[in-house]
Amino acid sequence: MLTLKRDITAGMYVFVVFLLLLILSGSALANPRYSSIVIDADTGAVLHESSADASRYPASLTKMMTLYMLFEAMEQRKMTVDTRMPVSTHAAGMPQTNIGLRTGDSISVREAIPALIVRSANDVAAVVAEALGKTEANFGRMMTDKARKLGMRSTTFRNASGLPNSEQKTTARDMVILSTRLMKDFPKYYHYFSTQSFSYKSITYNSHNRMVRNTAGVDGLKTGFIRASGFNVATSARRGNRRVVAVVMGGNTAATRDQHMARLIDRSFNQGNHLAQVEKNNKNISDVAVTVAKANAPTPALKPYPEQQKVPEPIVKHYVFPPVASAQPVQPQKVALQTNGDWAVQVGSYHEPDRARAHAQAVARWIPGEIAVSEVEISNRRLYRARLVGLQEDQARSACQSLTRQGIGCLVVRS
């Protein structure tokens, strides 16, 4: 009996040690630097997110804002592609990666753009910063001010390159806003982000961004790495007539980061195609309902879609939310469907009502309208559409144009 007790005790000890090792190994595998987000570029719908609002180091994704500022200066005709920028001692002293600029040299804007995108050159980033902001520290303040105007509320820049600085922080959500704004605000310059190589002073540099050549539909944007951030990447991809924009931060290696991004893109296109069809069905059904209400006539039969015998009738519930006074959850107030011709701005479709409400509340800071969430069920699948309602048609269209300029996707619909 005593021997049996000793054997049981020894066995329990081994089991406890095994559990502890398992827990510790699991903790080691966890990646506290990871965050990601994927959006539909046209509608702004969030197709995937994980820790998207967690504070992260941007690393060389910072250079996307440096380029934004450079493109803006070109649009304002303060600079041209032929403008030459002087190289200071500060810029020449920037660590790798760089292109070996020396004090007293100069570099043209035409040369600087691919150097920033392909080589991610820190010396060139400092040159641009000093050309636009006199000093890199002042340029960091200019970048932060621009970030606020673009809606990047969780981002602070301290330098133009993304070199380590404990105060330089961002989020995956802010980086996807910046990526989207680069495409929408400067469409004639976006092609630079697909550049795979460039030469400077007889040296050819190849791009770190393998997503462009290895993943279907990818046509930009930027990679980044410092030890504190892990491996980051901002990516945009088009397949057919749809585009997604995605950010992954905190990868353990460049290869695993790229593989993960490719999976997110594939999944998001599949998911987005389904959502697009649902939205198309819902819009057609809604348009028919409004027309019938105005005519006070029975609902006509809907025509079948191609390869589809009939469109399932949705179950629609509309909720209007009062202003949020605290962090406590807000209970929705159910209201009747309005058919008086009022208009709304739709800012996204989500699988969870809380996300739809949160996004509508965030957008409400920018445009007028009452926060509302529409719950739509089609074929046992629920979606929650975030909207700002109670607008006239001209108000809704003006508001959506304003949001689009800020990189926020939207649709003008009848509420």
Side-chain angles (χ1 to χ4, degrees):
M1 181 64 70
L2 184 59
T3 301
L4 180 60
K5 286 183 178 180
R6 281 199 301 265
D7 290 343
I8 293 174
T9 301
M12 291 180 64
Y13 175 79
V14 171
F15 178 72
V16 169
V17 169
F18 173 78
L19 279 180
L20 287 173
L21 289 173
L22 187 62
I23 292 169
L24 289 173
S25 64
S27 299
L29 291 172
N31 184 0
R33 300 178 299 184
Y34 172 79
S35 61
S36 61
I37 186 169
V38 186
I39 68 167
D40 184 297
D42 296 319
T43 67
V46 177
L47 306 177
H48 159 87
E49 64 177 293
S50 177
S51 302
D53 296 306
S55 186
R56 299 286 184 261
Y57 295 112
S60 283
L61 298 191
T62 299
K63 294 184 178 81
M64 292 197 299
M65 179 58 85
T66 302
L67 285 157
Y68 187 99
M69 305 288 282
L70 182 58
F71 293 156
E72 186 174 65
M74 294 167 67
E75 287 289 287
Q76 295 170 352
R77 300 188 177 180
K78 296 177 181 178
M79 306 183 88
T80 71
V81 291
D82 296 316
T83 300
R84 298 201 70 83
M85 300 173 288
V87 180
S88 69
T89 301
H90 167 72
M94 288 292 104
Q96 291 282 0
T97 57
N98 57 47
I99 58 171
L101 295 178
R102 297 180 180 180
T103 304
D105 286 350
S106 67
I107 184 171
S108 70
V109 169
R110 190 192 310 274
E111 294 166 323
I113 293 171
L116 290 170
I117 293 170
V118 175
R119 179 62 173 167
S120 201
N122 297 323
D123 49 359
V124 176
V127 168
V128 173
E130 292 176 338
L132 296 177
K134 305 300 182 184
T135 67
E136 189 167 9
N138 185 56
F139 187 66
R141 289 187 286 271
M142 293 168 59
M143 295 167 73
T144 302
D145 289 343
K146 180 60 65 175
R148 295 292 180 274
K149 292 177 182 177
L150 297 181
M152 300 166 62
R153 300 183 180 279
S154 301
T155 297
T156 299
F157 291 112
R158 289 289 182 259
N159 60 51
S161 61
L163 285 170
N165 186 306
S166 61
E167 296 180 351
Q168 184 149 284
K169 296 290 188 69
T170 189
T171 65
R173 193 181 307 278
D174 277 5
M175 284 292 108
V176 89
I177 291 173
L178 177 56
S179 302
T180 304
R181 290 300 298 269
L182 276 165
M183 291 188 295
K184 292 188 176 182
D185 293 354
F186 309 110
K188 68 181 181 181
Y189 301 131
Y190 176 67
H191 68 91
Y192 282 115
F193 287 101
S194 63
T195 305
Q196 286 296 287
S197 66
F198 86 105
S199 297
Y200 182 75
K201 292 187 175 179
S202 302
I203 299 176
T204 298
Y205 299 94
N206 295 314
S207 175
H208 299 138
N209 191 352
R210 297 176 180 84
M211 295 294 300
V212 174
R213 58 179 178 267
N214 292 340
T215 305
V218 171
D219 52 17
L221 298 154
K222 188 77 182 70
T223 62
F225 169 79
I226 58 174
R227 287 190 181 89
S229 72
F231 290 85
N232 301 339
V233 65
T235 297
S236 181
R238 176 179 288 279
R239 294 179 186 175
N241 61 353
R242 296 191 58 251
R243 177 178 288 280
V244 300
V245 185
V247 171
V248 169
M249 308 185 78
N252 290 321
T253 68
T256 57
R257 173 203 64 193
D258 291 352
Q259 291 166 6
H260 181 61
M261 173 64 86
R263 287 194 296 271
L264 289 179
I265 289 172
D266 288 342
R267 184 194 311 166
S268 296
F269 272 115
N270 293 334
Q271 175 186 355
N273 286 333
H274 176 81
L275 292 177
Q277 183 61 45
V278 170
E279 287 296 321
K280 179 179 177 182
N281 293 352
N282 292 346
K283 182 179 184 301
N284 287 345
I285 293 168
S286 177
D287 288 346
V288 170
V290 170
T291 302
V292 171
K294 285 187 174 182
N296 195 24
T299 303
L302 294 174
K303 294 181 179 181
Y305 289 93
E307 302 179 2
Q308 190 172 339
Q309 294 304 310
K310 70 174 185 177
V311 177
E313 182 178 356
I315 301 169
V316 183
K317 298 178 184 177
H318 297 266
Y319 302 97
V320 174
F321 295 88
V324 178
S326 68
Q328 297 300 318
V330 178
Q331 295 299 321
Q333 176 184 354
K334 189 174 178 180
V335 297
L337 174 64
Q338 301 295 316
T339 57
N340 59 4
D342 287 346
W343 291 76
V345 176
Q346 183 169 310
V347 293
S349 297
Y350 299 83
H351 294 294
E352 293 84 21
D354 289 344
R355 288 186 179 178
R357 176 171 59 86
H359 189 51
Q361 287 170 341
V363 173
R365 303 172 186 171
W366 298 90
I367 65 173
E370 195 171 21
I371 297 167
V373 172
S374 295
E375 176 186 340
V376 181
E377 182 176 338
I378 297 180
S379 300
N380 297 320
R381 185 183 181 90
R382 281 191 177 84
L383 288 174
Y384 299 88
R385 299 183 295 192
R387 292 179 171 182
L388 279 301
V389 301
L391 304 174
Q392 298 298 320
E393 181 177 3
D394 58 343
Q395 289 179 312
R397 296 195 182 281
S398 175
C400 191
Q401 289 173 359
S402 176
L403 289 175
T404 299
R405 285 193 294 270
Q406 297 172 55
I408 301 173
C410 57
L411 296 172
V412 176
V413 296
R414 288 189 182 274
S415 59

